[in-house]
Amino acid sequence: MRRKFYITTPIYYVNDVPHIGTAYCTIAADIIARYHRLLGEDVFFLTGTDENAIKVARAAQEHGKHPQEFVDELAQQFQDVWKAFNISYDDFIRTTQQRHRMAVVKFIEQITRHSPDVIYPSYYEGWYCVFEETFYTDEEIVDGKCPECGRQVQLVREPAFYFRLSSFSEKLLRFYEEHPEFLAPDFRGHEVISFVRSGLKDVAITRVSKWGIPFPISHPESEGHMVVYVWFDALVNYLSGIGYGSDEPEDVEKFNRYWPADLHLVGKDIYTRFHCTMWPAMLIAAGLELPRCVFGHGFWNIEGEKMSKSKGNVIEPVSLANEIVSRTGCTFDRAVDAIRYFLFREVSFGLDGDFQRANLYARFNSDLANDLGNLVQRVLVMVRRFIGGKVPPLSDACGELRGLLSELVPTITQAMDGYEFSQALSAIWEVVRSSNRFIERRAPWQLSKEGRRQELQDVLRELLDVLSSLAIMLSPFMPSTAFEIARQMGACHLFDGWRWEHILRFDKLPDGLSTSEPQVLFPKGEIVHAGASQSAQEGEVRKAACEGETTMGAQYITIDEFKRLDLRAVKVVHAEQIQGADKLLKLEVDMGTERRTVVAGIAQEFAPEELIGKTLVLVANLTPAKIRGVISQGMILAAGEDKPLALVTLDREVPPGTKIS
Ligand code: MSP
């Protein structure tokens, strides 16, 4: 039987349109779902919208709309954006749908049957943040404000039903211990365990409100209109989205087939408390199996700041794609794939990231236009020009790139299995870059000129095979580009049949297949300036890369100008000489939340070995520049004018990433 794989995203509040943060989680789930489909598994991918929240009703009111009309419009907008971003979900659950409402009622009844005293009536008195939909204790609030969003909290006392979460600590701790794969990535697991160890408190699971799912049990001391607390309701979507709550045979079959979830993907904001504590406790109380894994990913900031409506820095995915189209001249689909690529290449999945337009365009130009786009274009142009646009026969003669692929595929597969997308993409790009170097070395134009036909055919066949393998490996990340590569090779009719296991099969393209007209995938775009020097951007390392623009004897700058510099303490984890450049070292530095590659012109004064482990100072917001083929993501500071005399270090240890001001 085919292995099943059930994956979910959080369901998003429809108080606002989708942004790059919600898109991030949804794209991640899409990458994983597509990868598991390529493995041949029976995948079910669920996403949806959380519509019963009081903040949703409030947003509707602000827009002068009835809540239902408002949520209908926004749920549609979410679906439109996901469509534009090629999100291959199997179902979209909305918590105002009847199927979900029925499931919540059934779930509560199931808990009361299976664990009779777990839900009990009482009174709730506590600090409530309407915006976060969360109650806080006296210790948690900060100066009368919500610890999450800083808004004023209200003291609320009302009849309520409680969920006896406090009685689940031991069971949860035992479960985590017996299922270490449940909490991912590892470092988030430690946080969950200490949260549960510190003691769990019972949770109020009703609210007095008109908007929401009516609580199915009546409170002995209240006739008020009680609805299910939005989190208790929302979590049940993972069940209702696959048929729980319905007696229809196909729903029952679907639920039995897919539950438990193999992966709940959520942001770190809703990881510990809701998905790793409350949700498994609710399932234990109902006597249902627990999910296999909850993965908590990091958050994106925007150009160094928290993304927020009040700061006006919220990025909407479709607007960003349109901006890329107008700046680079690529198609909308390529722009979408550029965003999908960037988000998962730039930052290790699980950690936080800082979204910088300059980095997006730098990667667009170097990784997508120069490396990938160029490779596809060159191969297909040469196939047309030198061998009549037909796939030449497979022969045993060559194998250099196939050998490289065989070496790298296990690494790529392992990275995909471990949700290490940045590592997977970096290994895939080794294939892309090696293929470009292979073209330079084997110079098919020369082979053609010298009439060495067999060699020419073998070289081009090998390159075509690599392109077809790249199409498979790229398809989870950049589905429309992967398809376009296959289409330009004349293989779009074969594409759907290709699986992950075919990456290393080199007979995917039939001999004699006619390739199509090559078209540019990623035209080189405009580079965005992030307040850094033009020369660095053009790929020239400054004399010593460490020199910078000094102000000695020059004009004064204001404190605000100085503040534009993002200076960070970074720890060198790797250093090596750049081949063919005797002044340049390539450094890999740990910046706390991410690793950066930096090119520094210090090779004549400092040996790579003496740098490893040192804490240096990095100008972290310098526009990335490509220097000798390496993208340098910042500049190391040093003393000295013509050459670096000493590196800037700190007088005591601080954690990597610490800001210097
Ligand atoms: N409705 C709840 C989830 C209920 S799930 C049973 C909710 N919704 S939300 O609209 O606020 O979306 C939360 C999710 O959006 C986060 O967990 C995260 O996955 C994603 N993100 C929101 N902002 C983000 C960033 N700035 N960066 C990355 N992801 C972000 O909470």
Side-chain angles (χ1 to χ4, degrees):
M1 213 174 68
R2 274 205 305 162
R3 204 191 133 184
K4 67 92 185 171
F5 188 80
Y6 176 32
I7 177 169
T8 66
T9 71
I11 47 171
Y12 303 107
Y13 289 130
V14 284
N15 56 332
D16 211 346
V17 292
H19 53 66
I20 205 73
T22 42
Y24 181 57
C25 190
T26 314
I27 298 169
D30 188 55
I31 291 169
I32 299 169
R34 286 175 184 274
Y35 170 63
H36 280 266
R37 286 193 199 105
L38 281 174
L39 293 178
E41 293 174 11
D42 170 15
V43 173
F44 196 90
F45 169 16
L46 181 73
T47 189
T49 40
D50 190 348
E51 306 184 358
N52 295 321
I54 292 169
K55 65 178 161 195
V56 170
R58 199 184 47 205
Q61 205 178 16
E62 282 162 14
H63 286 80
K65 298 209 162 128
H66 182 274
Q68 192 61 52
E69 181 195 358
F70 181 72
V71 296
D72 286 348
E73 278 173 22
L74 278 190
Q76 187 56 49
Q77 285 197 37
F78 270 84
Q79 294 179 40
D80 292 345
V81 173
W82 297 161
K83 187 158 184 245
F85 272 68
N86 275 312
I87 305 299
S88 61
Y89 58 79
D90 293 291
D91 206 342
F92 190 97
I93 182 84
R94 298 182 51 192
T95 56
T96 53
Q97 285 168 336
Q98 191 56 18
R99 59 172 172 158
H100 177 75
R101 299 170 76 93
M102 277 162 43
V104 170
V105 170
K106 180 171 164 188
F107 184 72
I108 292 170
E109 286 166 0
Q110 186 164 336
I111 292 183
T112 52
R113 254 198 333 274
H114 190 262
S115 313
D117 60 345
V118 161
I119 292 178
Y120 63 93
S122 179
Y123 280 85
Y124 179 75
E125 188 172 297
W127 300 105
Y128 188 72
C129 172
V130 180
F131 188 81
E132 296 293 335
E133 305 270 352
T134 309
F135 294 111
Y136 296 101
T137 59
D138 285 343
E139 301 84 59
E140 282 170 328
I141 57 168
V142 183
D143 299 334
K145 306 249 165 65
C146 169
E148 301 291 336
C149 68
R151 289 175 171 82
Q152 197 70 42
V153 289
Q154 311 164 7
L155 190 60
V156 174
R157 181 181 157 83
E158 59 188 31
F161 278 94
Y162 272 74
F163 178 74
R164 209 180 294 280
L165 187 61
S166 58
S167 65
F168 288 87
S169 305
E170 288 308 314
K171 288 192 191 105
L172 287 171
L173 288 170
R174 200 171 334 119
F175 176 75
Y176 305 144
E177 202 177 310
E178 285 166 6
H179 300 86
E181 69 294 344
F182 177 74
L183 301 170
D186 285 346
F187 66 90
R188 293 210 194 281
H190 306 317
E191 186 188 304
V192 174
I193 292 167
S194 52
F195 175 72
V196 175
R197 276 206 190 122
S198 71
L200 297 174
K201 295 210 169 78
D202 293 353
V203 184
I205 54 164
T206 55
R207 291 282 295 134
V208 174
S209 166
K210 289 206 171 57
W211 181 247
I213 301 175
F215 199 74
I217 313 166
S218 55
H219 194 283
E221 287 162 52
S222 164
E223 306 208 325
H225 195 74
M226 241 178 224
V227 296
V228 182
Y229 167 48
V230 68
W231 267 102
F232 207 81
D233 144 6
L235 287 161
V236 177
N237 91 86
Y238 301 133
L239 305 174
S240 60
I242 49 167
Y244 176 90
S246 157
D247 294 328
E248 295 298 324
E250 63 271 30
D251 289 329
V252 174
E253 192 272 326
K254 196 199 282 178
F255 182 71
N256 291 334
R257 181 153 133 217
Y258 291 114
W259 190 256
D262 294 271
L263 178 63
H264 290 314
L265 205 56
V266 300
K268 63 178 186 179
D269 55 333
I270 56 175
Y271 182 74
T272 302
R273 202 169 155 147
F274 295 115
H275 282 85
C276 297
T277 308
M278 188 155 141
W279 179 227
M282 285 162 67
L283 290 165
I284 297 172
L288 288 168
E289 250 192 280
L290 269 52
R292 305 258 186 260
C293 177
V294 184
F295 187 103
H297 65 74
F299 257 47
W300 281 94
N301 287 332
I302 309 294
E303 313 273 353
E305 297 208 307
K306 201 172 165 186
M307 183 164 57
S308 86
K309 246 178 144 179
S310 56
K311 291 209 176 87
N313 64 354
V314 175
I315 297 183
E316 288 178 24
V318 172
S319 316
L320 181 63
N322 284 327
E323 175 196 304
I324 296 174
V325 170
S326 63
R327 284 205 166 138
T328 66
C330 71
T331 63
F332 183 82
D333 278 346
R334 286 303 83 68
V336 162
D337 277 357
I339 298 171
R340 291 178 61 122
Y341 170 75
F342 174 74
L343 291 176
F344 292 91
R345 176 70 182 86
E346 186 74 354
V347 172
S348 285
F349 193 55
L351 302 182
D352 290 346
D354 188 28
F355 183 94
Q356 304 208 4
R357 276 188 161 70
N359 295 357
L360 167 70
Y361 286 99
R363 284 209 183 270
F364 186 100
N365 284 340
S366 71
D367 303 8
L368 299 178
N370 278 353
D371 296 340
L372 178 65
N374 203 15
L375 173 68
V376 176
Q377 168 96 1
R378 285 164 101 187
V379 172
L380 293 176
V381 165
M382 291 190 296
V383 168
R384 271 179 109 74
R385 191 169 298 157
F386 302 140
I387 56 169
K390 292 221 183 316
V391 173
L394 192 59
S395 92
D396 305 329
C398 38
E400 184 181 327
L401 291 178
R402 293 190 190 122
L404 177 77
L405 258 184
S406 314
E407 266 172 41
L408 285 174
V409 167
T411 311
I412 297 169
T413 306
Q414 203 182 2
M416 293 300 287
D417 289 338
Y419 313 127
E420 293 171 329
F421 304 124
S422 176
Q423 288 86 327
L425 284 168
S426 129
I428 294 172
W429 250 254
E430 262 191 62
V431 177
V432 173
R433 293 187 181 128
S434 302
S435 304
N436 275 323
R437 285 196 295 271
F438 176 78
I439 296 178
E440 293 305 324
R441 231 174 328 104
R442 301 300 303 267
W445 47 91
Q446 201 60 35
L447 298 176
S448 167
K449 211 151 117 200
E450 292 168 11
R452 290 150 71 186
R453 185 145 183 97
Q454 187 59 48
E455 275 175 75
L456 174 65
Q457 284 194 355
D458 290 347
V459 165
L460 292 177
R461 171 73 202 213
E462 179 152 14
L463 285 162
L464 284 165
D465 286 338
V466 169
L467 288 191
S468 65
S469 300
L470 280 171
I472 300 177
M473 294 188 284
L474 289 174
S475 68
F477 298 98
M478 309 172 75
S480 79
T481 304
F483 180 79
E484 179 60 15
I485 294 172
R487 194 194 66 74
Q488 293 195 18
M489 285 195 298
C492 61
H493 59 296
L494 303 170
F495 184 71
D496 276 350
W498 290 345
R499 296 279 168 269
W500 195 258
E501 68 192 17
H502 295 152
I503 298 173
L504 290 176
R505 276 190 39 188
F506 300 111
D507 56 358
K508 293 190 283 297
L509 300 172
D511 300 353
L513 182 76
S514 292
T515 61
S516 303
E517 182 79 36
Q519 277 163 17
V520 174
L521 290 174
F522 297 98
K524 262 195 133 180
E526 179 192 324
I527 291 244
V528 169
H529 300 250
S533 69
Q534 183 72 28
S535 69
Q537 212 184 82
E538 284 165 3
E540 268 315 304
V541 73
R542 293 307 194 93
K543 237 183 288 155
C546 319
E547 188 180 64
E549 305 272 23
T550 108
T551 59
M552 284 287 278
Q555 312 126 307
Y556 288 110
I557 58 164
T558 64
I559 186 75
D560 283 338
E561 280 170 319
F562 173 73
K563 278 188 183 158
R564 291 181 64 199
L565 282 177
D566 185 12
L567 299 177
R568 300 292 178 125
V570 293
K571 202 179 198 104
V572 180
V573 287
H574 183 77
E576 66 182 53
Q577 175 101 37
I578 295 188
Q579 285 206 343
D582 50 2
K583 288 193 179 158
L584 301 182
L585 287 187
K586 178 174 148 190
L587 308 180
E588 188 147 329
V589 296
D590 179 3
M591 218 173 97
T593 51
E594 61 176 297
R595 283 203 174 175
R596 294 255 182 121
T597 303
V598 182
V599 176
I602 54 174
Q604 291 186 326
E605 294 76 18
F606 300 91
E609 315 77 73
E610 66 178 301
L611 295 174
I612 293 175
K614 268 208 162 73
T615 297
L616 303 177
V617 176
L618 178 80
V619 184
N621 61 342
L622 192 67
T623 306
K626 192 166 180 178
I627 301 163
R628 298 292 180 118
V630 179
I631 297 187
S632 182
Q633 305 166 290
M635 183 172 84
I636 293 295
L637 292 185
E641 273 197 80
D642 301 328
K643 57 181 188 166
L645 302 172
L647 294 168
V648 176
T649 54
L650 301 172
D651 75 341
R652 64 198 69 181
E653 274 301 305
V654 295
T658 304
K659 211 168 159 48
I660 294 168
S661 52

